[in-house]
Amino acid sequence: MYTAQNPLRWGIIGLGKIAHSFARDLALVPQARLVAVGSRSQEKAIEFAQTHTTSDNQPVACVGYEELLALEEVDVVYIATPHTSHVEWSLKALAAGKHVLCEKPMALTPDQVQEVTSLAQSRGLFFMEALWSRFNPAVQKAMDYARSGRLGALRYVQADFGFFALDRDPASRLLNPDLGGGSLWDIGIYPIFWAYQLLGTPTSITVQKLAASTGVDAQLRVEFNYPEATAQLFSSFHTFSAMTAQAGGTLGSVLLHPRWHETDRLTIQTPDLGTETELFDLIGKGYTYEINEVIDCIGQGLIESPLWTHQNSWELNALIIAVSDSANSL
Amino acid sequence: MYTAQNPLRWGIIGLGKIAHSFARDLALVPQARLVAVGSRSQEKAIEFAQTHTTSDNQPVACVGYEELLALEEVDVVYIATPHTSHVEWSLKALAAGKHVLCEKPMALTPDQVQEVTSLAQSRGLFFMEALWSRFNPAVQKAMDYARSGRLGALRYVQADFGFFALDRDPASRLLNPDLGGGSLWDIGIYPIFWAYQLLGTPTSITVQKLAASTGVDAQLRVEFNYPEATAQLFSSFHTFSAMTAQAGGTLGSVLLHPRWHETDRLTIQTPDLGTETELFDLIGKGYTYEINEVIDCIGQGLIESPLWTHQNSWELNALIIAVSDSANSL
């Protein structure tokens, strides 16, 4: 197992905004050490390394991702490059013998998911898609309530994730079709994840899509049907939404407060016990929980997390594609 | 204007659970006095009158609703009979020269709404449908945010209202088709009201209906489409839901916390101002606000509330019928 004296040694490639947030949270986990960061831009790599240098740790600034993958002292690589290059660098990192935590979405097709996870399996290396909300303690507790039967038979799921982004540069990551843009892959993945976690793959899907001028989806209103349940989901760059998620059953409901995917509170309501709001004292921005999961799993010699398996990534990816196909067939 | 010395004198007919809640709140409003209560059951009338007798006020127990309507000292009648008799007793109360506050839904067709409100208008009497959530201070504040432009252009509305009730007596009010049963008229009216208040009448509607064994709707999943906005609504006796309502626009969002239709808190989120939760110190269960509105309006000689007009009742009723028709055409 990893300890503060013998930490898991991390490299980060793709040094954008989320990489900064992640690195700050990494510094809060004693069993982790950031040993290297890689960017195609030398300036960016050096600046990032300096920003995250502490009194007892100075990450190496690598120019180009290959340079980082070649470093023997890197145990695990966190991939935070644009969506469209996740597969390429996951494969290269695994081929270089590194464990991998890859930002979501890990791939843009189920076949790609299969390709990456197969390589991890054949190489005996850990791979996980960075579905960080899966490890948020409030989200976990809500899932526990839902799965433990405390809410009775689950029959209703709701989740929304919207913010106005149509004023952004059409060439930017969010709106650019060549960079995997659109609300579906960037944020729609969260509501779909929530429904998938609670109810699995739906038997039918309805989607109302709004297209951005660049052709990517600006908004998706999505309904999932299950034999005994229904889900109302929403993702949007066309409008803000309050960003709640909930699950309801025959005995009660649980609500994740805004912004639910990184929330520190839930409210459980049952007729017997009334209404109770639980607060969670989050560590860092919330990436610490997936970081700890990676460290625990690798420490145990696992190649996947039991909480977010390769199969989970494959099924979520297939579901996102199904939503996309439903939208495009309108 | 009415004062504690010269209060508006109320009668209540239909002495069920909601009438008790209403009477308790009425006692909290100094400008109101409960002078008479009417039930078809003498025992129920006497018991209700005794329950709500105070040191300085003793309401008369009337057997039969006509007896109450004949009392000269009654200024305004609160009608809390079953849905299917709202129209009959609204008409009779108005014909008897009484102002009327009628529990929602005030009627089961737009024509009936028209008939009742026309009579109020021709008699110069006040009539209002008891859409109490319209007067809840948190709901009002959320509407103010939405309407003032603080959220930008409104593009998303969500509201849900679900509780498990399929284990109730099939002959009971909630499930009995002869008593106007079904989730739509009893609780679906709230989410539809919320969308209507914020966005008006939609240009198209989709509905997924689940029928109870009695034939009434056990659940409705409803989507409203507007030229620039969309609404996801839900009402159910098939499951609990967290009971939130929200509105989102190009500049931010507002969330009404559970149970939103009677809530004491909202959360407003905008990128500029961050996230702010506002608490409201509710008076009573929350009927006090509609009670005060009735008193103010009658005191001013109005025949309708500017906040929930006869036209509003007509449009909401027509919208509920449109939802019902959309559901039945599946």
Side-chain angles (χ1 to χ4, degrees):
Chain A
M1 299 298 286
Y2 295 100
T3 63
Q5 287 68 45
N6 174 37
L8 184 68
R9 298 166 303 174
W10 291 73
I12 300 178
I13 64 173
L15 303 181
K17 194 173 152 202
I18 195 172
H20 276 290
S21 299
F22 186 90
R24 279 190 294 273
D25 272 13
L26 203 59
L28 301 175
V29 179
Q31 304 90 327
R33 182 179 300 157
L34 180 60
V35 295
V37 297
S39 171
R40 283 172 176 153
S41 148
Q42 183 177 32
E43 190 188 339
K44 209 169 174 181
I46 291 172
E47 191 188 335
F48 192 101
Q50 284 176 342
T51 300
H52 297 283
T53 290
T54 61
S55 56
D56 58 358
N57 186 50
Q58 182 175 1
V60 175
C62 301
V63 181
Y65 306 148
E66 289 90 347
E67 191 179 316
L68 185 143
L69 297 184
L71 292 177
E72 205 177 324
E73 64 264 36
V74 171
D75 297 316
V76 57
V77 179
Y78 169 58
I79 297 174
T81 62
H83 298 169
T84 42
S85 65
H86 286 173
V87 171
E88 175 187 357
W89 291 103
S90 290
L91 292 172
K92 286 181 176 168
L94 291 166
K98 307 303 184 191
H99 303 294
V100 171
L101 174 68
C102 179
E103 199 39 67
K104 51 121 207 107
M106 63 164 285
L108 298 176
T109 70
D111 282 352
Q112 291 175 340
V113 172
Q114 179 68 32
E115 187 183 359
V116 170
T117 56
S118 292
L119 182 59
Q121 287 155 23
S122 67
R123 296 293 300 256
L125 293 166
F126 179 83
F127 176 89
M128 189 173 88
E129 186 178 22
L131 228 297
W132 67 312
S133 301
R134 174 65 183 87
F135 306 98
N136 170 294
V139 174
Q140 292 219 38
K141 188 71 177 286
M143 283 172 47
D144 287 347
Y145 282 136
R147 290 172 160 185
S148 68
R150 176 119 175 230
L151 308 181
L154 278 192
R155 292 181 170 175
Y156 182 60
V157 163
Q158 178 274 337
D160 61 273
F161 200 129
F163 60 91
F164 185 72
L166 295 183
D167 54 351
R168 309 240 178 140
D169 180 356
S172 74
R173 185 176 69 80
L174 294 183
L175 300 177
N176 190 335
D178 296 333
L179 296 179
S183 82
L184 177 59
W185 287 107
D186 198 61
I187 55 177
I189 191 172
Y190 287 107
I192 294 170
F193 152 77
W194 179 241
Y196 165 73
Q197 277 286 293
L198 294 173
L199 296 169
T201 298
T203 49
S204 71
I205 299 172
T206 56
V207 179
Q208 189 194 60
K209 171 182 164 177
L210 198 69
S213 57
T214 58
V216 303
D217 79 272
Q219 179 172 291
L220 295 174
R221 197 194 67 203
V222 177
E223 292 86 37
F224 283 178
N225 293 308
Y226 300 85
E228 288 292 321
T230 190
Q232 291 181 303
L233 311 173
F234 183 74
S235 72
S236 186
F237 293 152
H238 182 61
T239 180
F240 285 90
S241 73
M243 299 180 62
T244 59
Q246 56 161 295
T250 49
L251 296 179
S253 68
V254 65
L255 171 70
L256 292 166
H257 288 237
R259 307 169 3 137
W260 73 267
H261 71 298
E262 59 179 19
T263 191
D264 66 352
R265 66 195 63 193
L266 64 80
T267 295
I268 180 160
Q269 301 175 75
T270 63
D272 294 345
L273 302 170
T275 297
E276 198 182 329
T277 295
E278 298 177 36
L279 300 182
F280 297 81
D281 198 7
L282 293 190
I283 298 169
K285 182 164 169 61
Y287 297 108
T288 51
Y289 304 98
E290 66 177 1
I291 290 167
N292 277 314
E293 178 69 7
V294 171
I295 294 170
D296 288 349
C297 287
I298 295 176
Q300 293 171 48
L302 301 179
I303 60 164
E304 64 181 345
S305 162
L307 299 181
W308 190 250
T309 65
H310 297 171
Q311 178 73 11
N312 288 146
S313 285
W314 190 93
E315 288 176 1
L316 180 63
N317 194 286
L319 189 46
I320 291 170
I321 294 292
V323 169
S324 178
D325 288 348
S326 300
N328 290 328
S329 68
L330 285 180
Chain B
M1 300 298 287
Y2 295 100
T3 63
Q5 287 68 44
N6 174 37
L8 183 68
R9 298 166 302 174
W10 291 73
I12 300 178
I13 63 174
L15 304 181
K17 194 174 153 202
I18 195 171
H20 276 290
S21 298
F22 186 90
R24 279 190 293 272
D25 272 13
L26 202 60
L28 300 175
V29 179
Q31 304 91 328
R33 182 179 300 155
L34 180 60
V35 295
V37 298
S39 172
R40 283 171 176 154
S41 148
Q42 183 178 32
E43 190 188 340
K44 210 169 175 181
I46 291 172
E47 191 188 336
F48 192 101
Q50 284 176 341
T51 300
H52 297 283
T53 290
T54 62
S55 56
D56 58 358
N57 186 51
Q58 183 175 1
V60 175
C62 302
V63 181
Y65 306 149
E66 289 89 346
E67 191 179 317
L68 185 144
L69 298 184
L71 292 177
E72 204 176 323
E73 64 264 35
V74 171
D75 298 316
V76 57
V77 179
Y78 169 58
I79 297 173
T81 61
H83 298 168
T84 42
S85 65
H86 285 173
V87 171
E88 175 188 356
W89 290 103
S90 290
L91 292 172
K92 286 182 176 167
L94 291 166
K98 307 303 184 191
H99 303 294
V100 171
L101 175 68
C102 179
E103 200 38 67
K104 51 113 205 120
M106 63 164 285
L108 298 176
T109 70
D111 282 352
Q112 291 175 339
V113 172
Q114 179 68 33
E115 187 183 359
V116 171
T117 55
S118 292
L119 182 59
Q121 288 155 23
S122 67
R123 296 293 300 257
L125 293 166
F126 179 83
F127 176 89
M128 189 174 88
E129 186 178 22
L131 228 297
W132 67 311
S133 301
R134 175 65 183 85
F135 306 98
N136 170 294
V139 174
Q140 292 219 37
K141 188 71 177 286
M143 283 173 48
D144 288 347
Y145 282 137
R147 290 171 160 185
S148 68
R150 176 119 176 232
L151 307 181
L154 278 192
R155 293 181 170 175
Y156 181 60
V157 163
Q158 177 274 337
D160 61 273
F161 199 129
F163 60 90
F164 185 71
L166 295 182
D167 54 351
R168 309 241 178 139
D169 181 356
S172 73
R173 186 176 68 81
L174 293 183
L175 300 177
N176 190 335
D178 296 333
L179 296 178
S183 82
L184 177 60
W185 287 106
D186 199 61
I187 55 177
I189 191 173
Y190 287 107
I192 294 170
F193 152 77
W194 179 241
Y196 164 73
Q197 277 287 292
L198 295 173
L199 296 169
T201 298
T203 49
S204 71
I205 299 172
T206 56
V207 179
Q208 188 194 61
K209 171 182 163 177
L210 198 69
S213 57
T214 58
V216 304
D217 79 272
Q219 179 172 292
L220 295 173
R221 197 194 67 203
V222 177
E223 292 87 37
F224 284 178
N225 293 308
Y226 300 85
E228 288 291 321
T230 189
Q232 291 181 303
L233 311 173
F234 183 74
S235 72
S236 185
F237 293 152
H238 182 61
T239 180
F240 285 90
S241 73
M243 299 180 62
T244 59
Q246 56 162 294
T250 50
L251 296 179
S253 68
V254 65
L255 171 71
L256 291 166
H257 288 238
R259 306 168 3 137
W260 74 267
H261 71 298
E262 59 179 18
T263 191
D264 66 352
R265 66 195 63 192
L266 64 79
T267 295
I268 180 160
Q269 301 175 75
T270 63
D272 294 345
L273 302 170
T275 297
E276 198 181 329
T277 295
E278 298 178 36
L279 300 182
F280 298 80
D281 198 7
L282 294 190
I283 299 169
K285 182 163 168 63
Y287 297 108
T288 51
Y289 304 98
E290 66 176 1
I291 290 167
N292 277 314
E293 178 69 8
V294 171
I295 294 170
D296 288 350
C297 288
I298 295 175
Q300 294 171 47
L302 301 179
I303 60 165
E304 65 181 345
S305 162
L307 299 181
W308 190 250
T309 65
H310 297 170
Q311 178 72 11
N312 288 147
S313 285
W314 190 92
E315 289 176 0
L316 180 64
N317 194 286
L319 189 45
I320 291 170
I321 294 292
V323 169
S324 178
D325 288 348
S326 300
N328 290 329
S329 68
L330 285 180

